[in-house]
Amino acid sequence: MKTKKILLAAAVALLAASCNKTETETKSLEVSPTSLEFEATGGTVQNVTVQAQNVTWEYSVSAAAQAWMTVSQEGNVLTVSVADNNKGEQRTGQIRIQVTDGSKLPARGVTVTQQANANPPEMSISVNPSSLTFEGEGAAPQEVTVTSSSETLTWTAAPDETSGEWITVAAAGDKLTVSVADNPDTQRRSGSVVITPSDDAADSKAIRIIQEGRILPPSLTVSPSDPIEIPYNGIDGKLYVLLTVTAENTEWSAKATDAEGNALDWATATASTGEGYINLSFTRNTQKQPRSGILVVTPTAEGLNELRIPITQTAAPDHLTTLDGDLDLTTLGLDHGYSTLMPYAPDDTLQPTIQWELNLFSEGLSFNRNTGAIEGSGHRLHFMPVTERIEMNDDDMYILPDGEYEIVTPKPHPEDPDAIYYKDAWTIDKGTEGTTTWNKYVDFWYLEYRDNEVVGAAPVVSGTVTVTKMEGFENSYVFEFDLLDDIGNRLTGTYSGSIGLNVNGRQLPD
């Protein structure tokens, strides 16, 4: 009997130990109830009991419901309250309960439903003004009044996501003060302040914020600003200089004057204010003295001084021309010519080239064959093209070959007195000044006459003459001129017509 009692006691102890171990290892998580329903208004409170065995837990409220649902915990009881529903539609939220100790138990949820408001009150906010405009720099804060339709409806304000760096807000009562930082740019910028009501039954409002660009102080610069130095015949063949003008908040004008403020007669400043540049144009200096002036740029804004840039133009080198600019030969009215071919019989020597002497005249001017003088008033072009040896043709005529003739410096005579001297074909010697009155204008010259006297002259020192024989006319040609005188004036144009022909004093028929 004693042995049986001992065995029975051991069995009871083993059973008890087994039961305690099972109870300790069991884990569970339950909530009750799993759903709550609230009236639209009234402020009632309801509880949720969390039954947790051998686990720890926590709760969270769904994001959409956090604005109107409040949950607090005391022990294993969650107390749930809701704000009045001011909308005419039902709303639903979730409370989530989940373990926090790593137990593999599913989360539990409580669905909270609040009924729609059968007579929803008006919930709205208004702002006045709805937009604000600030100066670019040093702008004073401005105030906005925010009006709620209900005393229980509150609001918060903040700049939008892109404007937080330069817009700040401060709220007090129904007033919202908006401030802006200085605008670092000259362009205006814009943003907004968003007013968010405490009840989502009311719509948010946005206040438009505009800030003007930074206003730069008046300024005026000209580039280049160094003194302007002009060669007598222009810069790279151009008779103008472009200067860039940068103006901020000022109008401006430009002029070229002498030291006393009088307009120059050789330079003009044209202001293109809309495009920001000055065209300083000038003429060639045909005088043997330099000349000077001042480019004056005048702003209209107060506090800015005018800019004065010295202008100088170098003196012309020693020259013979009397022209003070380019000459269009076509406008001179050249309408007839006279030419001489030397020698009459080019095959009686060993010279490989021969030379023509041509004179082109305008009406009123002619060559006196008896005296060799130029008589009358008008214009004359004198030049002497060199060609290869040519023979008289079957019509008893010599033909000036077609082609381009280049104006060149005359070849020096050979030192050997027995050497044959000849000029190169397809050339025309440049104009030079002779040593005697009757032979003053040697080789290529443009000359103007008045009553038998030369009143204007220009030696041609470079360029080309292109010759084309006119079909059907024995002594008629087309001459195209592209010439420069000794200070760079261009003489261009065309002559079409007869040049006559005189060979060693024998006049051949036109």
Side-chain angles (χ1 to χ4, degrees):
M1 293 295 293
K2 184 176 182 180
T3 301
K4 290 182 178 180
K5 288 182 178 180
I6 292 174
L7 292 173
L8 181 60
V12 171
L14 183 60
L15 179 61
S18 176
C19 290
N20 289 338
K21 181 178 180 181
T22 302
E23 183 177 330
T24 300
E25 292 180 350
T26 300
K27 296 183 178 183
S28 63
L29 180 66
E30 301 293 339
V31 296
S32 179
T34 58
S35 64
L36 300 175
E37 185 171 336
F38 290 86
E39 297 294 330
T41 60
T44 59
V45 174
Q46 298 186 50
N47 294 328
V48 175
T49 300
V50 180
Q51 298 172 337
Q53 185 175 350
N54 299 321
V55 295
T56 58
W57 57 274
E58 65 181 6
Y59 73 91
S60 61
V61 178
S62 58
Q66 291 176 12
W68 54 273
M69 183 193 308
T70 303
V71 179
S72 61
Q73 179 184 353
E74 186 172 348
N76 66 334
V77 176
L78 299 179
T79 300
V80 182
S81 62
V82 296
D84 287 348
N85 185 2
N86 294 312
K87 290 185 176 182
E89 55 188 36
Q90 178 180 285
R91 58 188 179 186
T92 302
Q94 291 286 330
I95 303 173
R96 177 183 173 86
I97 298 95
Q98 61 184 16
V99 295
T100 58
D101 59 1
S103 301
K104 295 182 179 180
L105 294 176
R108 307 299 179 181
V110 178
T111 301
V112 180
T113 303
Q114 187 175 23
Q115 297 299 318
N117 196 318
N119 297 295
E122 179 186 354
M123 301 296 288
S124 64
I125 57 174
S126 62
V127 294
N128 185 37
S130 59
S131 65
L132 301 173
T133 300
F134 292 86
E135 296 294 330
E137 294 180 294
Q142 297 189 49
E143 205 171 65
V144 175
T145 300
V146 183
T147 304
S148 301
S149 62
S150 170
E151 294 182 358
T152 61
L153 181 62
T154 59
W155 50 269
T156 57
D160 63 35
E161 294 181 356
T162 62
S163 308
E165 293 184 355
W166 60 279
I167 299 176
T168 57
V169 296
D174 64 346
K175 303 297 183 184
L176 177 68
T177 301
V178 181
S179 304
V180 295
D182 287 347
N183 189 350
D185 298 322
T186 57
Q187 301 297 320
R188 65 162 46 186
R189 60 183 176 181
S190 61
S192 61
V193 173
V194 179
I195 310 298
T196 304
S198 59
D199 194 312
D200 60 2
D203 295 328
S204 298
K205 296 291 183 181
I207 304 168
R208 182 69 169 167
I209 308 298
I210 298 173
Q211 186 178 26
E212 300 295 346
R214 179 168 64 100
I215 299 177
L216 298 176
S219 64
L220 182 71
T221 59
V222 177
S223 179
S225 59
D226 297 330
I228 301 171
E229 298 179 356
I230 306 169
Y232 75 95
N233 61 346
I235 300 174
D236 296 330
K238 298 182 294 186
L239 296 176
Y240 65 89
V241 175
L242 292 179
L243 299 95
T244 301
V245 180
T246 303
E248 293 289 350
N249 298 315
T250 185
E251 300 295 326
W252 56 275
S253 59
K255 59 184 178 180
T257 72
D258 60 19
E260 288 72 37
N262 302 310
L264 295 178
D265 58 2
W266 57 272
T268 303
T270 303
S272 296
T273 56
E275 299 179 7
Y277 71 87
I278 298 170
N279 185 337
L280 178 65
S281 58
F282 45 85
T283 61
R284 290 186 182 88
N285 188 3
T286 60
Q287 306 303 312
K288 296 183 180 180
Q289 300 83 32
R291 52 191 182 183
S292 62
I294 303 170
L295 174 62
V296 181
V297 186
T298 305
T300 59
E302 294 184 4
L304 292 182
N305 296 324
E306 66 181 13
L307 303 178
R308 299 172 66 86
I309 302 175
I311 310 167
T312 58
Q313 188 175 30
T314 61
D318 288 341
H319 60 275
L320 301 173
T321 186
T322 61
L323 297 178
D324 57 4
D326 295 341
L327 178 63
D328 184 354
L329 300 174
T330 307
T331 65
L332 303 181
L334 301 175
D335 63 357
H336 62 286
Y338 175 79
S339 65
T340 301
L341 175 61
M342 304 171 290
Y344 167 61
D347 56 351
D348 64 358
T349 72
L350 297 178
Q351 284 190 195
T353 61
I354 58 175
Q355 188 170 32
W356 300 61
E357 181 175 12
L358 279 79
N359 286 278
L360 304 180
F361 301 106
S362 66
E363 184 179 1
L365 200 65
S366 62
F367 176 69
N368 188 324
R369 294 187 180 92
N370 296 322
T371 64
I374 306 298
E375 298 177 346
S377 299
H379 303 276
R380 172 191 176 199
L381 202 60
H382 173 268
F383 56 103
M384 302 179 71
V386 179
T387 72
E388 297 175 347
R389 282 172 56 103
I390 58 176
E391 307 295 336
M392 186 181 293
N393 64 16
D394 294 340
D395 296 325
D396 197 29
M397 293 295 298
Y398 290 94
I399 304 299
L400 178 63
D402 287 358
E404 183 178 274
Y405 295 78
E406 182 182 5
I407 288 77
V408 298
T409 300
K411 291 176 61 176
H413 283 270
E415 295 182 1
D416 182 358
D418 296 327
I420 298 176
Y421 172 76
Y422 62 91
K423 300 178 183 292
D424 293 329
W426 304 104
T427 64
I428 302 173
D429 284 351
K430 72 178 184 179
T432 57
E433 186 176 37
T435 58
T436 61
T437 302
W438 62 269
N439 193 30
K440 183 177 181 180
Y441 306 107
V442 180
D443 291 318
F444 207 154
W445 281 81
Y446 156 74
L447 300 165
E448 181 182 4
Y449 290 79
R450 185 175 300 120
D451 297 330
N452 306 339
E453 298 293 331
V454 174
V455 294
V460 174
V461 299
S462 64
T464 59
V465 177
T466 303
V467 177
T468 306
K469 180 73 170 63
M470 296 178 67
E471 295 293 335
F473 300 91
E474 290 298 339
N475 288 304
S476 294
Y477 299 82
V478 176
F479 294 87
E480 298 177 62
F481 301 100
D482 187 3
L483 314 170
L484 291 176
D485 71 5
D486 57 353
I487 60 169
N489 293 310
R490 292 191 67 194
L491 294 80
T492 57
T494 302
Y495 168 81
S496 300
S498 172
I499 61 170
L501 183 58
N502 196 47
V503 181
N504 267 6
R506 183 166 69 89
Q507 177 67 34
L508 297 182
D510 290 341

